[in-house]
Amino acid sequence: MRDRFGRKIDYMRISVTDRCNLRCRYCMPKGIRLVPAAEILSFEELCRICKAAAELGITRFKITGGEPLVRPGCPELIGMIKGLPGVEQVTLTTNGILLDRYLDELIKNGLDAVNISLDTLERESYKQITGSDELWKVKENIGKAAETGLRVKINSVLQRDAGENQWMALAALAKNMPVDVRFIEMMPIGYGRQYGGVSGKQVLKKLQEVYPGTFRDVSIHGNGPAAYYRIPEFLGSIGFISAVHGGFCKNCNRIRLTARGELKPCLCYDTGVELKKTLRSGYSEEETGQKIKKNIQRAVALKPRMHCFDMAEGITEKRQMVQIGG
C-alpha cells in the first residue's frame, strides 16, 4: 500500500492504553483524564483492525501505550496479532519496569523485539524525569531482556538539562551488551512543547569526540527512521531519531492507531480517521472488514508530505503524547 507521495506504508503503531505507571515530566507529569475502559478498543477489535491492515500490506506492528504492560493480557494480544496471516513482525515499546514479570510470556507469544525507554542512568535525574525511583529495576530488566536473545533498543529522549556525561553513559550501554541505544529529539507535542530539545547532531559530535573511530552503520535495525553509528568494539550500535532537525518524512512508512480507535496519518497534525464506530455498528464480520480497509486506505491517503515540528505554529495536534500513543 502506498500513499499519494509513493511511500510504502507497511508499519502500524498501536496504543493499547492511555494508562502508565510513570509520570514523566514531558509526557503526563500530573496525569491525564483517563479514557473510560469501555471507550478503549478491546483486543478482539484491535485484531480485526490488524487483520484488515495486514490484508492491505501492513505487515509490522508496534504495541505501545501509555505503558502497554499495565494492560492485562498484553502478551496474549501480541500472540493474537503475530498469528494473523501476513503479519511478519510484532514489537513492543515499554518503560521496562514490568518487563521481567512478562518477559517469558512475551517471548512465548512471538515478540520480535522490545524498545525500552530510559533517559538517564543517574538515580536522581531519573526520579526527577519520571517521578519514580525504579531506575534499578529498568537497568536490571534491560540486562534480562538482552540475555534472552531478544532484540533490544534503548530509547532516550534528549533533554537540555542532561549533560554530556549522561549521554555518554547511556551510549556506553551498547559496549558490553548487544543493545542499540537511540537518542530521540524531544517531540514538540503536549508537555514536550515546554522542554527545549537538544539536536541529535550535538550528541553525535560529542560521541565522535569521545570515540574518534565512530562510523556510519548502514545495516537495517528496524522499522523506524533512526540513523545508526558503530563504535569499534561495541556490541551494539548508537542511533539518532532527529524528529525536529532531521528530514526523514520522505521515508515515513507508518500510521498510528490510538487506544480509542482513531487512525492518525501523522503525529504532527490533528487529522485522523475514526474506526471504533465502524467496529461497533453491528455490521457483519465481512462488511466490517471491508469498511475498516477503506478507512485505513483513507487515512493513508491523508498522510501529508512532511511534518512541521520545526515550526511550532503549524502543529495542530493539541493532545498529550500519551493520549495518542508513543
Side-chain angles (χ1 to χ4, degrees):
M1 181 167 51
R2 295 189 180 274
D3 69 6
R4 57 200 170 107
F5 303 107
R7 295 172 295 200
K8 183 178 181 181
I9 310 302
D10 60 3
Y11 177 40
M12 182 184 289
R13 297 179 67 93
I14 301 172
S15 174
V16 298
T17 182
D18 60 347
R19 275 70 170 168
C20 188
N21 51 353
L22 293 181
R23 290 294 178 266
C24 293
R25 62 187 182 185
Y26 56 80
C27 185
M28 52 183 296
K30 300 177 183 178
I32 58 169
R33 178 175 294 179
L34 297 173
V35 175
E39 292 187 27
I40 291 178
L41 296 184
S42 68
F43 286 171
E44 291 73 20
E45 289 170 331
L46 288 171
C47 283
R48 292 174 84 177
I49 293 172
C50 291
K51 180 176 183 294
E55 290 173 356
L56 290 172
I58 294 178
T59 61
R60 302 177 179 203
F61 297 86
K62 170 81 72 180
I63 304 302
T64 74
E67 168 50 47
L69 293 180
V70 302
R71 181 166 179 179
C74 185
E76 288 75 16
L77 172 64
I78 287 170
M80 291 165 68
I81 297 174
K82 190 69 182 289
L84 293 171
V87 174
E88 296 177 358
Q89 184 185 95
V90 183
T91 58
L92 173 77
T93 291
T94 173
N95 60 37
I97 291 174
L98 299 174
L99 188 56
D100 57 331
R101 187 183 304 179
Y102 297 108
L103 190 56
D104 290 343
E105 291 181 62
L106 290 166
I107 293 172
K108 180 180 177 181
N109 278 281
L111 184 70
D112 292 288
V114 61
N115 292 0
I116 302 172
S117 300
L118 180 62
D119 298 337
T120 179
L121 289 175
E122 294 183 0
R123 181 181 178 186
E124 288 305 313
S125 292
Y126 184 85
K127 288 165 65 175
Q128 290 174 11
I129 292 170
T130 68
S132 167
D133 191 20
E134 298 197 77
L135 173 61
W136 66 274
K137 172 64 78 173
V138 179
K139 291 166 64 177
E140 185 178 275
N141 287 343
I142 289 171
K144 288 181 178 179
E147 287 173 1
T148 68
L150 195 64
R151 287 192 292 114
V152 178
K153 296 176 183 177
I154 310 302
N155 287 345
S156 181
V157 177
L158 292 170
Q159 297 164 64
R160 283 199 185 280
D161 57 357
E164 294 177 346
N165 290 339
Q166 291 193 49
W167 302 335
M168 292 306 102
L170 284 162
L173 290 173
K175 182 174 184 178
N176 298 314
M177 290 190 292
V179 302
D180 290 341
V181 177
R182 310 194 304 174
F183 294 103
I184 304 172
E185 291 184 350
M186 179 76 71
M187 292 281 192
I189 298 291
Y191 286 104
R193 290 174 182 254
Q194 303 174 20
Y195 289 89
V198 175
S199 167
K201 291 181 181 179
Q202 181 179 340
V203 183
L204 175 59
K205 181 180 179 181
K206 181 62 180 178
L207 191 76
Q208 291 170 327
E209 290 175 359
V210 176
Y211 303 103
T214 300
F215 62 95
R216 184 66 185 268
D217 180 357
V218 297
S219 61
I220 297 174
H221 288 247
N223 304 308
Y228 286 92
Y229 292 80
R230 294 285 300 185
I231 300 173
E233 300 182 0
F234 271 45
L235 295 179
S237 294
I238 310 299
F240 294 88
I241 300 179
S242 302
V244 178
H245 299 95
F248 53 70
C249 292
K250 65 180 180 180
N251 297 316
C252 184
N253 64 341
R254 69 188 59 188
I255 52 178
R256 295 170 180 264
L257 180 67
T258 72
R260 299 182 74 165
E262 179 191 0
L263 205 54
K264 281 186 62 64
C266 179
L267 183 60
C268 186
Y269 306 106
D270 60 4
T271 307
V273 176
E274 173 63 48
L275 298 183
K276 183 168 60 181
K277 184 176 179 180
T278 299
L279 287 162
R280 299 181 179 181
S281 292
Y283 299 118
S284 68
E285 184 173 346
E286 181 179 353
E287 191 174 6
T288 298
Q290 291 301 317
K291 288 181 179 294
I292 290 173
K293 283 197 278 190
K294 286 182 180 179
N295 280 332
I296 292 173
Q297 291 170 322
R298 191 168 131 229
V300 169
L302 289 171
K303 278 185 70 67
R305 183 183 294 275
M306 61 188 300
H307 63 59
C308 63
F309 285 142
D310 57 339
M311 297 182 294
E313 66 276 9
I315 301 171
T316 58
E317 179 56 74
K318 305 301 182 185
R319 286 172 292 183
Q320 302 300 329
M321 192 71 180
V322 71
Q323 295 171 308
I324 301 166

